[in-house]
């Protein structure tokens, strides 16, 4: 499908052109076209016998840090090979066009940064970073540390990926910024997320309460669909460039 074939209602084009402040929320669907498997789809090969929800927890890491580190190393290998797609690029372009723009993401792959987005709020952390499992500070593993997991160069505790695990709190500042962006925007664009995981799923509802136009981009129906003012039913790599092109092309 060419981006010119994406049907965008005139009233949505006008709403976007007039918006002073836009907030975006992305989920793993936006990276699917970059070849990054979604959280649950990611289980192939050796890893099929593990439930990701059982691996992405502090309890799993305490029980078997080697296994959990290996799993993340394997996921990171996929991500390192991935490049941003046209959906990521359209969001970066939107940021350049709109007076105020914030992009809240649940993705840990860093592809929005690579696409050129600047005001990115990472709610679930970033798989490319490591932190000390004892003190929580972000650290670079030592080059010569081949441990699985490597050790904190300061205190000797295991390092862990800087991502939010099930049962853990989200980063306080990122969460506050995300809610502020949702409450302050004229238009809220939710793309590639199932809208099932809290508290991210509350952001569009918060924006709606504050009077924003809600736009959803997803090939499938989600719990957000019934609240959305506009639904672009399709893949982010087609719908997002189609939307940006319709408003600014
Ligand atoms: P999900 O796997 O829950 O949902 C992915 C969504 O993307 C679904 O609604 C799909 O229909 C949609 N989708 C698939 N392909 C798409 C495409 N090409 N374009 C647009 N949409 C597409 O992923 P998330 O909503 O990101 O948390 O899940 C949220 C969080 O749950 C993740 O960050 C992760 C997971 O548990 C943690 O790891 C803490």
């Amino acid at each position: 499908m060419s981006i010119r074939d994406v049907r965008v209602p005139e009233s949505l084009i006008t709403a976007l052109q007039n918006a002073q402040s836009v907030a975006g929320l992305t989920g793993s669907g936006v990276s699917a076209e970059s070849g990054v498997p979604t959280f649950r789809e990611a289980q192939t090969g050796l890893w099929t016998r593990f439930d990701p929800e059982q691996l992405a927890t502090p309890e799993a890491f305490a029980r078997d840090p080697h296994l959990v580190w290996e799993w993340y190393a394997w996921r990171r290998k996929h991500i390192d090979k991935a490049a941003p797609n046209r959906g990521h690029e359209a969001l970066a372009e939107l940021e350049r066009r709109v007076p105020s723009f914030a992009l809240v993401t649940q993705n840990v792959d860093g592809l929005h940064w690579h696409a050129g987005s600047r005001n990115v709020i990472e709610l679930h952390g970033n798989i490319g970073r490591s932190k000390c499992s004892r003190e929580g500070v972000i650290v670079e593993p030592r080059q010569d540390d081949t441990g699985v997991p490597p050790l904190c160069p300061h205190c000797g505790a295991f390092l862990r990926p800087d991502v939010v695990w099930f049962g853990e709190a989200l980063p306080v500042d990122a969460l506050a910024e995300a809610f502020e962006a949702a409450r302050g925007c004229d238009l809220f664009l939710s793309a590639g997320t199932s809208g099932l995981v809290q508290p991210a799923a509350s952001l569009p509802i918060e924006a709606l309460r504050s009077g924003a136009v809600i736009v959803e981009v997803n090939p499938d129906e989600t719990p957000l669909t019934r609240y959305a003012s506009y639904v672009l039913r399709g893949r982010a790599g087609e719908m997002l460039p189609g939307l940006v092109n319709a408003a600014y092309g």
Side-chain angles (χ1 to χ4, degrees), residues 26-30 32-33 38-40 53 56 75 106-108 124 164-166 191-197 217-222 234-237:
T26 59
S28 59
V30 165
E33 290 159 81
T38 60
F39 194 67
R40 268 152 273 271
E53 294 211 13
R75 283 161 54 93
Q106 300 164 87
N107 299 342
V108 297
H124 291 169
V164 176
W165 281 334
F166 290 98
T193 176
S194 59
L196 293 172
V197 178
V217 174
N218 200 305
D220 298 319
E221 192 167 334
T222 76
R235 303 196 297 181

Side-chain angles (χ1 to χ4, degrees), residues 13-112:
I13 296 174
T14 308
L16 186 53
Q17 288 169 338
N18 291 339
Q20 291 304 302
S21 176
V22 172
L25 171 67
T26 59
S28 59
V30 165
S31 292
E33 290 159 81
S34 291
V36 179
T38 60
F39 194 67
R40 268 152 273 271
E41 284 171 353
Q43 299 307 89
T44 55
L46 276 179
W47 296 102
T48 44
R49 61 200 174 90
F50 295 98
D51 174 357
E53 294 211 13
Q54 303 297 320
L55 289 170
T57 65
E59 293 77 20
F61 189 71
R63 204 169 42 237
D64 195 341
H66 179 92
L67 177 77
V68 173
W69 183 268
E70 286 274 50
W71 184 57
Y72 277 97
W74 177 78
R75 283 161 54 93
R76 204 181 283 133
K77 227 165 50 194
H78 277 279
I79 288 170
D80 286 347
K81 281 188 277 182
N85 63 56
R86 294 199 307 167
H88 295 106
E89 284 160 10
L91 290 167
E93 176 63 14
L94 193 55
E95 180 170 0
R96 292 189 281 270
R97 299 282 188 164
V98 177
S100 167
F101 184 86
L103 184 57
V104 184
T105 188
Q106 300 164 87
N107 299 342
V108 297
D109 55 35
L111 289 177
H112 288 303

Side-chain angles (χ1 to χ4, degrees), residues 151-235:
L151 302 179
C152 173
H154 307 302
C155 75
F158 286 133
L159 294 185
R160 55 163 282 184
D162 184 27
V163 299
V164 176
W165 281 334
F166 290 98
E168 290 186 324
L170 272 63
V172 176
D173 291 350
L175 193 58
E177 279 177 54
F179 273 94
E180 197 181 314
R183 289 190 192 112
C185 71
D186 309 315
L187 189 144
F188 189 98
L189 181 58
S190 171
T193 176
S194 59
L196 293 172
V197 178
Q198 291 294 359
S202 298
L203 290 167
I205 305 303
E206 209 51 36
L208 183 66
R209 282 207 193 105
S210 308
V213 169
I214 310 295
V215 183
E216 178 176 60
V217 174
N218 200 305
D220 298 319
E221 192 167 334
T222 76
L224 178 64
T225 303
R226 66 195 179 104
Y227 300 104
S229 328
Y230 299 95
V231 177
L232 299 179
R233 212 25 103 230
R235 303 196 297 181

